[in-house]
Amino acid sequence: MKKYDYLIVGSGLFGSVFAHEANKRGKTCLVIDKRDHAGGNVFCEKVEGINVHKYGPHVFHTNDEDIWNYVQQFVKFNHFVCNTLAVYKDEMYNLPFNMNTFYQLWGTRKPEEAKAKIQSQKEALNIKEPSNLEEQALSLVGPDVYEKLIKGYTEKQWGRPATELPAFIIKRLPVRFTYDNNYFNDKYQGIPIGGYNVLIDGLLEGIEVRTNTDYFENREEFDNIADNVVFTGKIDQYYDFQFGQLEYRSLRFDTEVMDTDNYQGNAVVNYTERDVPYTRVIEHKHFEFGTGPKTVVTKEHPQEWTSEKEPYYPVNDAKNTAVFKQYQDLADKAENVIFGGRLAEYRYYDMHQIIGSALKKVKDHFSAVEA
Ligand code: FAD
Ligand code: UDP
């Protein structure tokens, strides 16, 4: 008989949802995290009374009513709607790509005019089946939008030519022929009132959590502490990199407190030019309609991942997909280990997708256990 039913490696949303659900079913859980706090990448740090999104801007959005109701058990959400701006040289555009953007680019006022403009640009390119991000972007919005708003941003974000990136990445952004600047199409959207830590604290209530604790530093001891392991760290590391290292994209966040009440008038402003070293500037107070005298601003600099940096994004190109597949084959056969989350599933998941994936794994796991 081991001390815990579940050891949960990683206190991000996946680990926290799994722990909550297991605890609710009367199981004993130990959650460990190598960082000095719980919450993974949604963690917020209070600075000058403002919830600073320490690991990048996080806007919750979902179309799934069950997931929306699930998170509401722990925290209420405000009415924030993400309207992102893009700066290219001395020009400013609305995102995602919509009638405002097209007007700013071409002076087109009617959807028909904008559609005709894109169509004429697309025809000249003759792309049948887009096979990479560049072709996908060109066939969605044409070369003008691509050159000013996509190519530079994408290539600095990913550190790779857009021709080597998967098409799905650009499909995250809506293209609309209405004057609607909402960055997302989903039915529900907002920021947790009081910040994401309220959500994490609610999920982890009554559960033992040890921070500053790395699974790999005491692997044998941790494997013997619980009957099952839920692993949300890097899957290649779990398997000792036996098929080689997976690549990730990392970020550096340069954050400063400014002695002004409003620096840029919006939560997120993207800088789409290749030569500006950062991709976006975040002014955190605007996520919660803050009115205090100071502001906190973060510049997000993309960088290649190395072992001492945080692995924020999986790089789902052909090479890494093939390596990941080998790890996944091992994971599928593993007993008493559940792999989940952005790092273990090597997928570009948003928060609602992580919650959906965790709830599905909980359901499958407990129905098998209880059968
Ligand atoms: P994580 O949050 O990464 O948690 C994994 C945890 O495991 C970490 O705390 C880590 O320290 C710990 N860990 C790893 N290895 C070990 C180990 N060996 N031992 C102990 N602990 C370990 N989603 C949205 O829906 N909307 C957004 O606007 C949005 N913006 C984003 C912006 C950025 C810059 C990034 C990077 C992500 C964004 N996301 C957004 C995605 C969102 O962050 C993820 O979907 C979600 O947080 C992933 O949860 P997770 O539990 O899989 O992983
Ligand atoms: N993107 C772009 N220009 C922008 C914003 C996004 O080309 O101004 C592309 C880029 O390739 C990025 C992808 O769209 O990686 C997805 O953008 P999103 O804002 O969803 O990125 P995330 O918030 O996940 O970093």
Side-chain angles (χ1 to χ4, degrees), residues 9-16 32-35 37-42 55-61 172 184 196 213-216 231-234 237 251 253 280 300 310-313 340-343 348-354:
V9 181
S11 64
L13 270 178
F14 191 99
S16 298
I32 61 168
D33 204 296
K34 63 182 181 182
R35 295 185 186 170
H37 58 76
N41 289 341
V42 307
Y55 303 99
H58 279 74
V59 180
F60 194 90
H61 57 96
R172 289 170 57 83
F184 305 107
Y196 287 92
T213 306
D214 190 330
Y215 170 74
F216 293 108
F231 184 78
T232 75
K234 290 163 76 263
Q237 188 175 10
L251 300 166
F253 299 103
R280 48 190 176 190
E300 197 172 306
E310 288 290 347
Y312 289 109
Y313 295 90
R342 242 192 197 199
L343 300 174
Y348 192 174
Y349 274 132
D350 278 333
M351 292 180 277
H352 61 292
Q353 295 166 317
I354 288 283

Side-chain angles (χ1 to χ4, degrees), residues 135-164:
E135 289 182 3
Q136 181 67 67
L138 286 169
S139 55
L140 281 171
V141 284
D144 285 358
V145 176
Y146 178 68
E147 291 298 330
K148 288 192 170 180
L149 300 179
I150 299 175
K151 186 175 163 60
Y153 186 103
T154 294
E155 297 196 343
K156 67 182 161 179
Q157 166 73 359
W158 296 99
R160 287 154 179 80
T163 46
E164 287 173 21

